[in-house]
Amino acid sequence: MAGKTPRHLLFVDVETTGLTYDDRVITLGAVELDIEALQDGADCTNTGHLIFNPGRKSNPFAAAVHGYDDWTLTFQPDFSTHADEIIAPFQRADKVIAHNAAFDERFVRGEFSLCGHTLGPARFDCSMRRYKTKYSRPGGLDKVLAHMGHRGRGKQHGALEDAWLCMRVWLWLHGLPVPEAPDHLLHPPSNWVEPEMKPLRGARKAYGW
């Protein structure tokens, strides 16, 4: 198994403003995994979780999933601010894996393109497709987790949490051990900027402004 498996894997997930080609990335979660270290029982993962100002409003259905309102997002940094930082793990990885990888790859490549960066021909793989091929069952992440005997996610979920769950699915499909989850999976993104207080409606009238 070890000889057939790439050593350096990158598991990714993005939350976006919606599903169209005009929509943008809001958060990106990534888990770098060293397979050799995993099998040796050593520290084997490195995580990243970033949030961005998408420059447009979120579709209400998307906002219900990612949980960030448009006001809050206007205070976050642009994707371009972190592009050099983000592209590095993609370049290091032997393979990039996502659950429904076509979606994540399209948005990641689009963001890099918009800020003048070119993501090379990283090899993307899809844990959802591999599951459906193996079991001939619907491959939604919550359905796969249920099949694995794990509790599904809530209505709201984050990119880093989903990237980690994608890794769990991929390792389970390949009969490999799963490292212990770090405490910070549900923490805010590392580049989070606290937004200013929203203006109160009718404040000018109430205070004579």
Side-chain angles (χ1 to χ4, degrees):
M1 181 69 192
K4 298 179 181 179
T5 305
R7 175 171 177 177
H8 299 287
L9 303 179
L10 178 67
F11 298 87
V12 299
D13 183 79
V14 295
E15 299 296 337
T16 67
T17 57
L19 303 177
T20 75
Y21 280 86
D22 293 326
D23 280 301
R24 301 287 302 277
V25 171
I26 287 173
T27 55
L28 183 145
V31 182
E32 291 185 272
L33 175 67
D34 185 322
I35 289 290
E36 188 173 298
L38 172 70
Q39 294 175 322
D40 290 341
D43 290 340
C44 58
T45 61
N46 184 42
T47 62
H49 190 199
L50 297 170
I51 188 169
F52 315 105
N53 176 0
R56 60 167 294 159
K57 292 184 177 181
S58 291
N59 179 290
F61 295 102
V65 173
H66 62 66
Y68 297 107
D69 60 63
D70 296 322
W71 171 263
T72 295
L73 291 172
T74 62
F75 291 90
Q76 308 310 314
D78 293 338
F79 187 95
S80 59
T81 304
H82 294 279
D84 290 338
E85 171 188 352
I86 296 167
I87 205 168
F90 282 91
Q91 294 171 332
R92 288 193 295 266
D94 297 319
K95 184 176 289 189
V96 181
I97 303 166
H99 206 77
N100 190 14
F103 176 88
D104 298 89
E105 181 177 8
R106 170 166 67 90
F107 275 97
V108 168
R109 289 192 182 278
E111 291 294 339
F112 279 124
S113 178
L114 286 171
C115 62
H117 283 64
T118 300
L119 178 62
R123 294 187 300 147
F124 278 79
D125 199 354
C126 183
S127 55
M128 181 175 72
R129 186 177 69 246
R130 286 187 175 272
Y131 174 85
K132 292 170 73 173
T133 299
K134 184 172 183 177
Y135 291 104
S136 299
R137 297 168 62 167
L141 186 52
D142 288 322
K143 292 184 180 299
V144 178
L145 292 172
H147 183 184
M148 294 169 61
H150 297 295
R151 181 167 53 91
R153 305 163 299 169
K155 183 178 181 181
Q156 257 184 40
H157 42 86
L160 179 55
E161 176 191 9
D162 283 359
W164 188 273
L165 292 172
C166 171
M167 181 188 70
R168 289 192 64 122
V169 170
W170 193 91
L171 292 174
W172 174 70
L173 289 170
H174 289 78
L176 291 167
V178 177
E180 185 175 350
D183 294 334
H184 62 259
L185 280 186
L186 302 179
H187 288 186
S190 60
N191 64 334
W192 169 264
V193 176
E194 193 66 29
E196 296 176 6
M197 185 177 295
K198 285 185 180 181
L200 297 174
R201 289 185 179 180
R204 286 181 176 272
K205 183 176 181 180
Y207 292 97
W209 293 343

